[in-house]
């Protein structure tokens, strides 16, 4: 494990020196929360066990976390396709150590926007009901965002270019919208959203505060989500991402 941790520490330092990436991972979610979670007139309205500002903080923190895991996992796939894997094969480091190190780095980077957004929210007008709810929500976000490591890996293995990883991160904006991260959805949009990848994870992350309840921008009473529905969404999409990534990896190892 010492070798794994040393490589993880090296890769973590390399990641945080990539300022352009950190802007999207850490700064962008924080700015979005500042705009929609602090300066909006409805920020202090009650929502579940907390308020709208707290719910917005959860959405923005989750957005930053999934961008982090997507970009790191996708970049790892591109690295290996360009020969980095063969170079590592010449060292005592094994395949499982490389994977574990990448997971540790992805989780560490994913925790950064969560920590920053939640700190600002807690010091201002954000409420999630209790201190335990803050910790529980943060833990769910960091652990749950690992499913988007498979999403990033899928794109990296299929297209094997840095542009593909950037496109995967860009597509997250659309997925975040349908995942209820930016604004509450209702009607047909909400029904469509329930089948998208981020919806279940957003619901689970919000569970300590909302317990499945949904807010509506037009005041419509919405049927609460069940825990089973949210878990099923996460499990199904995780399996889909994993299968596609596995097929892409096998295709990449086939001789032409």
């Amino acid at each position: 494990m010492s070798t794994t941790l040393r490589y993880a520490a090296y890769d973590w330092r390399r990641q945080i020196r990539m300022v352009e990436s950190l802007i999207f991972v850490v700064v962008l979610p924080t700015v979005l929360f500042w705009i929609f979670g602090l300066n909006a007139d409805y920020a202090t309205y009650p929502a579940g066990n907390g308020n709208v500002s707290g719910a917005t903080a959860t959405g923005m923190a989750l957005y930053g976390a999934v961008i982090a895991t997507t970009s790191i996992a996708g970049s790892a796939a591109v690295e290996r396709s360009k020969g980095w894997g063969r170079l590592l094969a010449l060292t005592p480091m094994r395949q499982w150590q490389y994977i574990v190190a990448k997971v540790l780095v992805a989780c560490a980077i994913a925790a950064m926007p969560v920590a920053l957004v939640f700190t600002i929210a807690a010091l201002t007008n954000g409420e999630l009901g209790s201190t335990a709810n803050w910790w529980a929500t943060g833990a769910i976000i960091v652990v749950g965002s690992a499913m988007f490591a498979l999403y990033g890996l899928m794109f990296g293995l299929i297209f094997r270019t840095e542009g593909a990883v950037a496109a995967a991160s860009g597509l997250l904006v659309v997925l975040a919208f349908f995942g209820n991260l930016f604004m509450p959805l209702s009607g047909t949009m909400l029904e469509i959203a329930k089948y998208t990848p981020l919806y279940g994870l957003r619901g689970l992350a919000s569970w300590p505060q909302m317990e499945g309840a949904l807010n509506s921008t037009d005041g419509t009473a919405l049927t609460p989500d069940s825990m089973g529905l949210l878990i099923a969404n996460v499990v199904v999409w995780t399996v889909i991402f994993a299968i596609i990534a596995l097929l892409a990896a096998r295709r990449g190892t086939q001789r032409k």
Side-chain angles (χ1 to χ4, degrees), residues 35 77 118 122 127 144 160 188 249:
I35 295 172
F118 276 15
E127 296 179 7
R160 302 178 185 274
T188 303

Side-chain angles (χ1 to χ4, degrees), residues 61 110-121 142:
M112 293 173 64
V114 178
L116 182 57
V117 172
F118 276 15
T119 297
I120 294 175
V142 173

Side-chain angles (χ1 to χ4, degrees), residues 14-27:
R14 183 176 69 88
Q15 294 289 342
I16 63 174
R17 285 197 294 266
M18 298 171 63
V19 180
E20 66 280 3
S21 298
L22 288 182
I23 289 177
F24 289 98
V25 172
V26 180
V27 178

Side-chain angles (χ1 to χ4, degrees), residues 4-55:
T4 305
L5 293 176
R6 283 199 300 271
Y7 182 80
Y10 156 77
D11 197 49
W12 183 80
R13 290 193 298 269
R14 183 176 69 88
Q15 294 289 342
I16 63 174
R17 285 197 294 266
M18 298 171 63
V19 180
E20 66 280 3
S21 298
L22 288 182
I23 289 177
F24 289 98
V25 172
V26 180
V27 178
L28 179 58
T30 305
V31 171
L32 291 175
F33 170 70
W34 194 274
I35 295 172
F36 299 109
L38 293 181
N39 296 325
D41 295 335
Y42 50 79
T44 57
Y45 288 6
N49 297 319
N51 60 12
V52 173
S53 181

Side-chain angles (χ1 to χ4, degrees), residues 49-51 53-55 57-58 118 126-130 133-135 137-138 208-209:
N49 297 319
N51 60 12
S53 181
T58 298
F118 276 15
E127 296 179 7
L128 290 187
S130 68
N133 284 354
W134 287 101
W135 286 103
T137 301
Q209 177 188 359

Side-chain angles (χ1 to χ4, degrees), residues 56-143:
T56 304
T58 298
M60 295 303 103
L62 177 57
Y63 179 58
V66 296
I67 287 180
T69 53
T70 294
S71 60
I72 291 174
S75 298
V78 174
E79 285 175 2
R80 295 188 67 79
S81 68
K82 291 184 176 179
W84 183 242
R86 291 191 294 273
L87 181 61
L88 288 178
L90 300 176
T91 72
M93 192 173 186
R94 299 184 178 182
Q95 176 76 9
W96 69 266
Q97 292 176 297
Y98 176 80
I99 295 173
V100 170
K102 282 295 183 181
V103 170
L104 291 175
V105 172
C107 290
I109 300 296
M112 293 173 64
V114 178
L116 182 57
V117 172
F118 276 15
T119 297
I120 294 175
L123 293 177
T124 53
N125 54 14
E127 296 179 7
L128 290 187
S130 68
T131 301
N133 284 354
W134 287 101
W135 286 103
T137 301
I140 293 171
I141 291 174
V142 173
V143 174

